[in-house]
Amino acid sequence: MAKEEHLPLFETKKAKGRVLFRIFAASIFAGICLIWVYRVSHIPKAGEDGRFAWIGLLGAEIWFGFYWLLTQASRWNPVYRHTFKDRLSQRYENELPGVDIFVCTADASIEPPMMVMNTVLSVMAYEYPPEKLSVYLSDDGGSEITYYALMEAAEFAKHWIPYCKKYNVEPRSPAAYFVSKHADDAVEDNHQAKDFVVIKKLYKYMENKIKNAVKLGQVSDEVRSKHKGFSQWDSYSSQRDHDTILQIVIDGRDPINATDNEGCALPTLVYLAREKRPQYHHNFKAGAMNALIRVSSNISNGKLLLNVDCDMYSNNSLAIRDTLCFLMDEEKGHEIAFVQFPQNFKNLTKNELYASLRVLNEVEAHGVDAYGGPLYVGTGCFHRRDTLCGRKFSKDSKSDMKWDNRKREELGIHELEENTKCLASCTFEENTQWGKEMGLKYGCPVEDIITGLSIHCRGWKSVYCNPAREAFLGLAPATLPHILVQHKRWSEGNFHIFLSKYSPAWYAHGKIRLGHQLGYLRYSLWASNCLATLVYSTLPSLYLLRGTSLFPQMSSPWLIPFAYVIIGKYTWSFVEFLWCDGTILGWWNEQRIWLYQRTSSYLFAFIDTILFSIGYTNSAFVITAKVADEDVSKRYEKEIMEFGASSPMLTILATLALLNLCCFAGFVLEEAISGSKGIAKAYETMSLQVLLCGVLILINLPLYQGLYLRKDKGKMPSSVAYKSMVIAVFSCVCFKLSY
C-alpha cells in the first residue's frame, strides 16, 4: 500500500523519431541558408530590371527562414501525457476539491440560448460529486430569454443528470447525444430504450419552450409572474446599461430542494449578468471572467476553475479527473497552474473546408508542453483559483487542492445573492489589481494568451492534456468571412501582445525557457507573415509577365537548395497532416486557408495593430457567429466555399487570385507567340516562377468559381468581382507597360 501511494498520477513520454526529425530539420535549415547566400550574392546591379523584386524576395526569404525556426521549437521535443484516474480515485476520492465551472455567453442573437443550455447541461453532468460542482453562466447580453432558458435547463437537469450517470452516457450534451444515438440507430437494452424515449421527449419539450421564447423575443407574462428572478429586469435599460443580475437557480447547499428526480444532489447553478454602464469599459470576456471569479469565491469558492465558451460542450465526463491527476500528483502537481485541453470542433467537414487546428492540437501544443506547458487559449482550461488570482510560484509553498471541510458562514439564498452582487459592479475594480496582477489581464483582444504568459512568468508550469476521447467540442465557423474575421482577431491580439510591455521577446526573457519563449513568439508574430506572403504571391507573377527571372536557372546548381527546401518542407507538412489523421484534400484546403489568412486576416490585423499602437484606432472584441442559416449549412456540408457579403478581405483575395491568373495567361500567350525557342528559354530561366504562379492559380480554383461560375447565394458578391477584375487587369497592364 505504501508503494502504491508513491506511484505517480500521470506519466510523460517523449515522442519517438526525434533524432531523425532533428537531422531533417537541420538539413532544411542548411538549404535555407544556401538560399540566403544565393540571394545576397546574385543581387542585380543598380538599374537592372528585377533588382527591386530581388531585394523584396530576399527580405521575404529571410523572414520565412526566421519564422520557420520559430515553428521548429514546437516540434523539437514533443511530449505526451497519460493519466491514471484509478490511482486518483483510490487515494483521493473523498478529498476531491470543489470545482467552479464558468460558461460565458455575450449575445443571444448569435449564440442561441438552446446551444448555450446544451453546454451548461453537459458540464453539470460531469462524473464528479455534484455537491462539489458549481456551474456559473455569465450572460454579458443580460438577456431574460437566456435566464428563462437556464431555468428550463435546471428543471431538465433533474432528469438528464441521473440518466447520464445511470447509463454512463457520452457525450453529455443532450443535443449531441441524441444526434449520436440517431446516427448509431441503437440503444443498448430495453430499460434504456424506454428511458431514452422519455428523456428525449422531455428534451424536446424544453427545446420547444425555449425556441418559442426566442421566436417571440420575450418571456410571457405568465412565466414572469411565477419566478421572482425576472423582477431584476425591471431596472434593465439595455445590454450596456443595467444593474447586476444575479440568481442562484439551484442552491447546492440545500439538500432538500437541490435534488434530482432520484433524490441525489444537484450541482449549484448560478446566473450572472454583471453590471454595465455606458461610461465604464466592461473589458469584454476578460471582465466577465474576473466578475465570475469574484462572485464564485463568495458562493462556492471551488479551488479548481474551468472556463468554456458557450458552444464548447463537454464531450468527456472524466475531464475533471484527468485534470486532477496532474494537479494532485504528489511529486509534480504543486508546479502546475493550469491544464489546457485542445480546442476541437464537431462540425468540421470531412476534408476541413476552412482548415482546423489539427496540427496545432496534435503536434505543436505537445511540443510547447515540453518547455513548461501550453498557452492558455481561453476555453477548455482548468485553473487553480489562487494562481489565476495572482499567486506566485514557490517551491517551499504548496497549494493544497483537497476538499476543504471547514464550514463557511451559512447565509440565506437571498442574503447571499444581495451580498455578492457588489462583486460584479462596474466600480468594484477601481483602484485594485484586477485586470493587472489579479484575474485575466485587460487591454488585449486575446486576454487568454497574455494571462497565461504572465502565469508562466511567475514561475508556474502548465500541462497539455489530449485524451483519446476529446474533452470539449465546439462549433467552427461555417463561412470564409467568419473564419477570416476570427483569425484577424486572434492574430491582431497576439501581435498586440508582441508590441506591448508583455511581449514574449522581453517580458518573458529569463523567466521562461528559450523554447517556451519561441513557442509564444510563433503565435505573437502570426500577423507579421502577411508582408512576406504578399511579396511572394505577387512579385514573381508580375515579373513572369515581363519575362524577368527571379530564381536560379534549371541548369544552375543553385536550384538544388530551392528544390530541396520546397519539396522537403511540403512533403513533411503533408506527412505530418496525414499522421494527425487528416485527409489529402484536407491538407490542400489547409494550404489554401493558410494563404488566405496571411494575405487578408493577418494583413488587416497587422495594419490595425500598428494604427492602434500609434493611437489612431481602438481595439475591439468581435464575437464569432455560432449559427448559420439552412442554405449556408447545406453548402458547407457539401464543402462549397461560402463567400457571403462584400468585404475588403474578399476584395484582396479576389484581386490577388485574378492578378496571378492574368500574369500566367499573359506569359503563356507571349511564349506561344515567340515559338519553340522562346519556350525553351522560358523553361530554362522561368520554371520556378511558372510553377509558383501555377500553384497559386490551382489553390484559388474555388475562388474563381465563386467569382464567375456559381449562381447560388454563397458566390462572391458581384461588386467584389468587378472591383478585383479592374484592379488586377489595371495592375498587370501598368506593370507590363512600365518595363
Side-chain angles (χ1 to χ4, degrees):
M1 181 66 183
K3 194 172 183 180
E4 172 68 21
E5 288 179 357
H6 289 88
L7 289 174
L9 296 180
F10 72 94
E11 67 176 359
T12 302
K13 293 182 178 179
K14 293 186 176 182
K16 298 177 180 178
R18 287 173 295 128
V19 174
L20 183 63
F21 169 75
R22 290 173 182 178
I23 293 172
F24 169 75
S27 69
I28 290 289
F29 184 63
I32 291 171
C33 291
L34 287 173
I35 290 173
W36 292 343
V37 171
Y38 170 77
R39 282 289 173 209
V40 172
S41 61
H42 289 73
I43 296 178
K45 296 177 182 179
E48 288 186 18
D49 187 46
R51 179 179 171 84
F52 166 77
W54 199 278
I55 294 173
L57 290 178
L58 171 61
E61 286 157 359
I62 290 173
W63 173 259
F64 285 145
F66 167 72
Y67 195 77
W68 179 84
L69 285 174
L70 293 183
T71 65
Q72 299 317 294
S74 56
R75 290 171 168 79
W76 201 249
N77 189 32
V79 296
Y80 296 86
R81 315 280 189 180
H82 176 72
T83 59
F84 301 105
K85 293 182 283 292
D86 54 336
R87 297 177 187 173
L88 176 76
S89 297
Q90 289 169 12
R91 271 179 241 173
Y92 299 119
E93 187 61 36
N94 296 324
E95 300 177 292
L96 297 175
V99 181
D100 291 347
I101 302 175
F102 303 154
V103 180
C104 297
T105 184
D107 189 337
S109 64
I110 58 177
E111 296 172 333
M114 199 60 224
M115 178 193 72
V116 179
M117 293 312 113
N118 273 283
T119 299
V120 169
L121 288 163
S122 73
V123 295
M124 288 181 72
Y126 268 122
E127 201 64 43
Y128 201 75
E131 67 276 6
K132 297 181 179 181
L133 201 60
S134 300
V135 179
Y136 295 79
L137 175 63
S138 169
D139 178 17
D140 253 12
S143 168
E144 63 177 4
I145 295 177
T146 301
Y147 172 63
Y148 168 67
L150 189 66
M151 290 196 304
E152 291 296 331
E155 285 300 312
F156 177 68
K158 296 177 181 179
H159 306 274
W160 176 246
I161 293 175
Y163 176 83
C164 289
K165 295 187 176 181
K166 181 178 180 180
Y167 297 111
N168 196 26
V169 163
E170 294 285 7
R172 296 193 175 181
S173 159
Y177 172 69
F178 293 132
V179 168
S180 69
K181 282 302 171 188
H182 177 73
D184 295 345
D185 201 30
V187 175
E188 287 73 10
D189 56 59
N190 290 332
H191 288 293
Q192 186 178 357
K194 292 178 181 178
D195 288 346
F196 177 83
V197 172
V198 172
I199 198 70
K200 188 171 183 180
K201 186 177 180 180
L202 289 170
Y203 175 75
K204 288 296 181 183
Y205 179 67
M206 174 191 71
E207 183 180 39
N208 288 335
K209 291 176 73 175
I210 293 172
K211 286 188 173 180
N212 285 337
V214 171
K215 189 176 181 179
L216 291 171
Q218 62 181 9
V219 178
S220 68
D221 292 337
E222 181 184 356
V223 171
R224 292 177 65 91
S225 63
K226 289 181 180 178
H227 301 280
K228 67 179 180 64
F230 286 105
S231 64
Q232 297 185 71
W233 270 267
D234 292 343
S235 61
Y236 182 91
S237 298
S238 68
Q239 286 189 11
R240 290 186 55 82
D241 190 9
H242 61 80
D243 296 331
T244 296
I245 303 173
L246 175 65
Q247 187 72 35
I248 300 176
V249 180
I250 300 176
D251 185 3
R253 305 171 305 164
D254 185 349
I256 299 175
N257 297 315
T259 55
D260 60 32
N261 65 343
E262 294 188 359
C264 298
L266 284 170
T268 294
L269 182 63
V270 180
Y271 173 90
L272 172 67
R274 60 192 169 119
E275 183 187 15
K276 294 278 191 71
R277 301 298 176 200
Q279 64 270 33
Y280 289 94
H281 196 290
H282 57 82
N283 293 303
F284 310 113
K285 182 180 174 182
M289 281 286 294
N290 286 342
L292 284 169
I293 293 169
R294 296 191 297 271
V295 166
S296 64
S297 69
N298 212 40
I299 297 175
S300 51
N301 201 34
K303 292 185 176 181
L304 185 62
L305 307 179
L306 163 66
N307 80 282
V308 292
D309 289 343
C310 63
D311 66 313
M312 193 70 62
Y313 67 82
S314 168
N315 188 59
N316 184 338
S317 62
L318 299 175
I320 297 178
R321 294 177 181 269
D322 276 320
T323 299
L324 291 174
C325 285
F326 296 109
L327 298 177
M328 298 185 77
D329 183 76
E330 292 84 352
E331 183 181 349
K332 298 179 180 178
H334 69 284
E335 302 174 344
I336 301 169
F338 63 87
V339 178
Q340 179 66 63
F341 287 82
Q343 196 171 0
N344 292 308
F345 304 101
K346 69 174 181 179
N347 64 326
L348 296 174
T349 61
K350 178 184 176 182
N351 297 304
E352 298 171 1
L353 179 61
Y354 300 117
S356 69
L357 304 177
R358 180 179 297 277
V359 174
L360 190 154
N361 288 340
E362 300 300 327
V363 177
E364 294 176 3
H366 287 285
V368 178
D369 195 12
Y371 298 113
L375 289 65
Y376 169 37
V377 299
T379 184
C381 188
F382 289 86
H383 286 270
R384 292 179 185 268
R385 178 183 288 273
D386 54 0
T387 59
L388 200 54
C389 290
R391 180 171 171 261
K392 293 183 179 180
F393 173 73
S394 172
K395 292 182 179 179
D396 301 325
S397 176
K398 296 188 177 182
S399 177
D400 187 8
M401 287 297 292
K402 296 178 183 177
W403 175 252
D404 190 351
N405 288 315
R406 291 177 296 177
K407 289 190 175 181
R408 306 177 70 194
E409 181 184 359
E410 290 290 334
L411 298 174
I413 185 171
H414 179 70
E415 187 179 359
L416 180 59
E417 287 172 350
E418 292 303 313
N419 288 352
T420 305
K421 284 183 179 180
C422 64
L423 300 176
S425 69
C426 291
T427 57
F428 182 86
E429 295 179 350
E430 289 183 350
N431 302 315
T432 71
Q433 291 299 307
W434 284 99
K436 300 172 185 174
E437 299 301 322
M438 296 179 68
L440 276 73
K441 290 187 177 294
Y442 295 154
C444 178
V446 286
E447 71 292 323
D448 38 27
I449 301 295
I450 197 171
T451 300
L453 176 61
S454 67
I455 290 172
H456 284 135
C457 289
R458 291 201 299 267
W460 293 96
K461 294 180 180 179
S462 59
V463 163
Y464 184 65
C465 185
N466 189 8
R469 181 177 183 87
E470 295 122 322
F472 303 96
L473 287 175
L475 290 174
T479 72
L480 182 61
H482 284 162
I483 197 74
L484 295 178
V485 168
Q486 183 185 66
H487 277 268
K488 176 188 179 292
R489 177 167 62 84
W490 289 351
S491 57
E492 183 178 347
N494 278 291
F495 192 48
H496 180 84
I497 293 173
F498 177 75
L499 297 179
S500 74
K501 65 178 182 180
Y502 295 107
S503 172
W506 41 83
Y507 176 72
H509 182 66
K511 299 176 184 176
I512 60 177
R513 294 172 63 184
L514 177 61
H516 210 186
Q517 200 174 353
L518 295 177
Y520 269 102
L521 284 170
R522 182 244 192 278
Y523 301 106
S524 297
L525 293 171
W526 261 347
S528 305
N529 283 295
C530 65
L531 301 179
T533 308
L534 281 170
V535 166
Y536 240 83
S537 57
T538 55
L539 291 184
S541 297
L542 286 169
Y543 278 88
L544 181 67
L545 193 62
R546 281 187 179 179
T548 302
S549 176
L550 299 176
F551 294 94
Q553 297 184 8
M554 292 296 289
S555 58
S556 170
W558 286 108
L559 182 69
I560 296 173
F562 280 89
Y564 180 73
V565 169
I566 293 169
I567 294 171
K569 179 184 179 300
Y570 284 100
T571 300
W572 182 270
S573 167
F574 179 70
V575 171
E576 185 179 68
F577 192 85
L578 295 184
W579 180 82
C580 295
D581 295 326
T583 64
I584 296 173
L585 190 54
W587 175 81
W588 182 246
N589 286 336
E590 182 163 277
Q591 306 312 303
R592 178 185 299 113
I593 299 302
W594 175 93
L595 176 68
Y596 289 177
Q597 287 168 357
R598 289 187 172 206
T599 53
S600 60
S601 303
Y602 294 0
L603 176 63
F604 281 94
F606 185 85
I607 293 170
D608 284 355
T609 306
I610 297 298
L611 291 176
F612 174 79
S613 299
I614 58 179
Y616 275 93
T617 59
N618 293 320
S619 62
F621 188 91
V622 180
I623 302 170
T624 305
K626 305 298 192 299
V627 289
D629 65 40
E630 190 175 347
D631 288 342
V632 171
S633 297
K634 286 181 179 179
R635 285 191 289 271
Y636 178 65
E637 289 167 5
K638 294 177 182 177
E639 298 193 332
I640 299 173
M641 193 165 278
E642 188 78 21
F643 297 102
S646 176
S647 75
M649 288 194 198
L650 291 182
T651 301
I652 286 178
L653 294 181
T655 301
L656 290 174
L658 291 172
L659 180 76
N660 280 281
L661 185 62
C662 291
C663 289
F664 190 83
F667 171 78
V668 170
L669 180 62
E670 193 165 310
E671 294 309 313
I673 294 171
S674 65
S676 58
K677 288 185 178 180
I679 294 174
K681 182 182 178 183
Y683 170 78
E684 172 65 20
T685 60
M686 309 292 288
S687 290
L688 271 183
Q689 272 167 267
V690 172
L691 177 64
L692 177 58
C693 190
V695 169
L696 288 170
I697 291 171
L698 286 175
I699 215 165
N700 279 307
L701 285 179
L703 201 149
Y704 300 133
Q705 292 172 348
L707 281 168
Y708 302 114
L709 301 179
R710 285 169 52 185
K711 303 299 181 183
D712 56 74
K713 292 182 180 179
K715 70 182 182 68
M716 190 73 80
S718 299
S719 59
V720 172
Y722 295 141
K723 282 188 290 186
S724 57
M725 173 61 79
V726 170
I727 296 170
V729 172
F730 180 76
S731 300
C732 289
V733 171
C734 289
F735 192 81
K736 177 70 173 176
L737 294 176
S738 65
Y739 179 46

